[in-house]
Amino acid sequence: MDARAGRVRSKGGTGGSKAPKQAMHIDWRGPIGRGSGLGSASREYAQALRRQGWRVEARAGMGVHDGGRKSKGRRMLVYHYPPHTMNPAAARGRYDKVVLNTVWETTRIPARWRSSINRYDAVIVPSRHNLKAMRDSGVKVPLHLAPHGVDTTAFRPSNPPFQIPGSKGRFVFLSVFGFQHRKNPEALLRAYWEEFTDKDNVLLVIKTSGYGARESGAWIREKIRRYRRSLRIAHPTAPLVLLTRRMSSRELRGLYTAASAFVLPTRGEGVGMPFMEALASGVPVIATAWGGQMDFLKPSNSFLVPYSLKSPAASMGKPSAISHTFRSLFAEKGQLWAEADASKLKVQMRKASSNPALCREKGAKGRRDMMGMSWRKAGEALAKALEAVRSGKKGQPAGAFPGKRLPVRASGTKPGPSRRTPKRALSARMAGGSATSSRQAPGWAVPSRREMFVPQGVWRARKP
């Protein structure tokens, strides 16, 4: 990668399958220079496609303007930015096919995305969750599935563990996320503080960061302190380490191997890359049983938490909403996401901490599962999808991807094996939804601040 030019140039023919005889030249446009999960995925996708023998030139920069050389029938644009930031019609003078590669987290995409997406020739998404959200939102163009991969060489159980103050001899819960409402930090913190006391031999480690200069490490800490006080928990709570400084890739990989279990009661994920990284590191996952992560999370490698589908807006206005909401994206009428069952989250966290041997067993299974989800495999799926776009084939229906179907449960219904949302519950949801469970809120209280808090810093991310 040429950092100055912000692009990756790659020529086909090395290290992978042979490209199709009529393979197009691929112009990949995405956030390849970012340190975020989206940036990492963009780089990995481009390189994985190259290893399949495709000619790929990747660069950063939103928008494509008309002009330049006309295509001779062998050029395709893959756009890995929000769909409304580029006009596909303006790009067709230069490209034969204009393809969107995108991801979404709730049951429906933002309304302003719909017309933009339907101007592309096709859409590539990384999970069945996304296939369904796109179709349910009125996307009419062909949809193709190309799952994310994980670097199982970088994320592996043998990585030297990161040294966490006060962790020796304790069961370590780890959570890695951007400090936003969708990640549900309130539910995680409240469950941990209410379930465990200072007598329990556990530790929660959170690696997080805000969005923009205002949301510094100090700002995050103060938000958590205030919420902790508002909970009025009577017993002394178990310790917490909050990491807000920038960490190197090596440190982050070691953070996973320092953990006994990874936990995140997320409200919605398009994929859930930290879940993949944890499993690749041999660490089991405690997570909400809804979202893109359900393509690879299962009882054999995880502790799954039941949920209810609710309106995002219901919880955003509550005092317990301590993190960035991104309301303009996630609070539109008709959008739903998952609220983890707070009591069941506690049960699963207690079960994990009481069964280290079971955690090791699940972690080992997770590692084996991730060995089959490499970026090489992702490149194969992406190449197949692009060849289908090139040849004009229809996309996949929302339920076409093999494997378990997503569990869906509307607010107010009982958990169970049903694969359909009851009509009565669906009607109630559409009529106005329900409030978020009161069991979500965090706080922050550590017995010894001097011992348990690592020096803070700011890790800024530009996109949720």
Side-chain angles (χ1 to χ4, degrees):
M1 174 177 172
D2 185 340
R4 292 171 297 177
R7 64 177 65 183
V8 177
R9 291 182 181 272
S10 53
K11 297 180 180 179
T14 60
S17 303
K18 292 182 179 180
K21 293 180 180 180
Q22 301 299 323
M24 290 182 172
H25 176 96
I26 303 297
D27 278 1
W28 185 279
R29 194 68 65 89
I32 59 175
R34 289 188 188 176
S36 63
L38 184 65
S40 175
S42 203
R43 291 189 297 275
E44 293 286 358
Y45 267 135
Q47 293 290 0
L49 197 58
R50 173 188 179 271
R51 288 191 289 269
Q52 293 301 309
W54 290 64
R55 296 168 56 212
V56 180
E57 182 175 345
R59 71 184 77 186
M62 290 187 186
V64 176
H65 303 287
D66 197 4
R69 62 183 181 277
K70 293 289 183 179
S71 170
K72 295 181 179 180
R74 299 289 295 277
R75 202 170 187 86
M76 181 186 296
L77 172 67
V78 180
Y79 194 69
H80 199 196
Y81 282 112
H84 64 292
T85 60
M86 194 266 286
N87 181 6
R92 287 201 173 89
R94 300 173 58 186
Y95 301 99
D96 296 274
K97 297 290 184 180
V98 182
V99 180
L100 176 68
N101 188 350
T102 194
V103 65
W104 193 244
E105 294 88 4
T106 67
T107 56
R108 294 182 184 272
I109 62 175
R112 66 180 180 275
W113 280 22
R114 185 184 306 109
S115 60
S116 297
I117 290 178
N118 281 326
R119 295 191 186 104
Y120 289 82
D121 293 306
V123 180
I124 296 173
V125 295
S127 67
R128 291 177 298 135
H129 173 82
N130 284 175
L131 287 175
K132 187 175 189 309
M134 293 287 166
R135 284 292 180 231
D136 289 350
S137 300
V139 172
K140 303 300 183 184
V141 298
L143 289 169
H144 300 274
L145 184 68
H148 278 192
V150 62
D151 189 341
T152 54
T153 300
F155 294 93
R156 60 186 190 273
S158 60
N159 284 331
F162 182 76
Q163 298 302 305
I164 302 170
S167 64
K168 187 175 182 180
R170 290 180 181 271
F171 185 96
V172 177
F173 293 105
L174 171 67
S175 197
V176 178
F177 58 89
F179 198 65
Q180 61 166 299
H181 194 63
R182 178 171 60 83
K183 300 295 184 177
N184 208 1
E186 318 94 270
L188 170 60
L189 288 164
R190 183 167 185 173
Y192 178 69
W193 282 321
E194 290 184 346
E195 180 63 23
F196 301 101
T197 73
D198 60 346
K199 303 299 182 183
D200 290 298
N201 200 28
V202 298
L203 173 66
L204 174 61
V205 178
I206 293 177
K207 170 66 184 81
T208 191
S209 57
Y211 297 86
R214 174 176 168 269
E215 297 181 11
S216 65
W219 180 86
I220 293 172
R221 291 166 188 274
E222 183 58 24
K223 284 281 188 179
I224 294 176
R225 284 192 187 99
R226 288 182 181 181
Y227 195 78
R228 173 65 181 87
R229 288 197 298 267
S230 74
L231 291 178
R232 299 181 179 179
I233 297 174
H235 62 256
T237 53
L240 163 71
V241 169
L242 182 65
L243 302 171
T244 60
R245 67 174 178 85
R246 183 186 294 273
M247 299 184 76
S248 68
S249 297
R250 182 177 181 180
E251 287 177 316
L252 184 59
R253 293 193 295 266
L255 200 54
Y256 284 109
T257 54
S260 309
F262 184 90
V263 55
L264 184 63
T266 179
R267 292 179 163 107
E269 299 291 333
V271 177
M273 291 185 70
F275 296 136
M276 300 180 76
E277 292 167 353
L279 292 177
S281 302
V283 178
V285 165
I286 304 170
T288 315
W290 184 85
Q293 69 271 21
M294 292 307 294
D295 281 356
F296 55 87
L297 293 189
K298 45 194 174 184
S300 60
N301 62 27
S302 306
F303 299 87
L304 299 175
V305 180
Y307 64 92
S308 297
L309 289 179
K310 298 185 179 181
S311 167
S315 58
M316 288 180 179
K318 292 189 172 185
S320 57
I322 63 172
S323 53
H324 200 122
T325 62
F326 292 99
R327 179 179 288 271
S328 63
L329 292 173
F330 299 122
E332 290 186 3
K333 184 178 180 180
Q335 286 182 317
L336 299 170
W337 63 16
E339 292 290 347
D341 185 311
S343 63
K344 295 301 192 301
L345 174 59
K346 294 177 187 178
V347 168
Q348 295 291 50
M349 292 179 74
R350 175 65 71 177
K351 181 178 180 180
S353 65
S354 301
N355 294 275
L358 178 60
C359 286
R360 290 191 292 270
E361 179 184 328
K362 287 178 180 283
K365 179 61 167 64
R367 170 67 181 178
R368 294 194 297 272
D369 291 341
M370 292 304 99
M371 292 299 290
M373 295 192 68
S374 66
W375 279 108
R376 181 182 64 80
K377 291 284 189 181
E380 292 174 357
L382 180 58
K384 182 177 180 181
L386 293 180
E387 177 58 21
V389 173
R390 185 201 65 79
S391 61
K393 293 181 180 179
K394 293 182 179 181
Q396 294 167 289
F401 187 61
K404 288 171 46 180
R405 293 176 60 90
L406 293 176
V408 177
R409 182 162 66 91
S411 174
T413 64
K414 296 181 179 181
S418 174
R419 294 181 177 181
R420 295 185 179 180
T421 301
K423 292 182 178 179
R424 185 179 300 174
L426 180 60
S427 299
R429 267 185 5 214
M430 301 307 291
S434 58
T436 303
S437 168
S438 61
R439 293 189 177 185
Q440 64 166 72
W444 177 105
V446 177
S448 171
R449 296 180 185 176
R450 185 172 299 175
E451 291 180 2
M452 303 307 296
F453 273 79
V454 177
Q456 66 187 41
V458 181
W459 178 33
R460 299 191 182 104
R462 297 180 182 179
K463 180 178 172 60

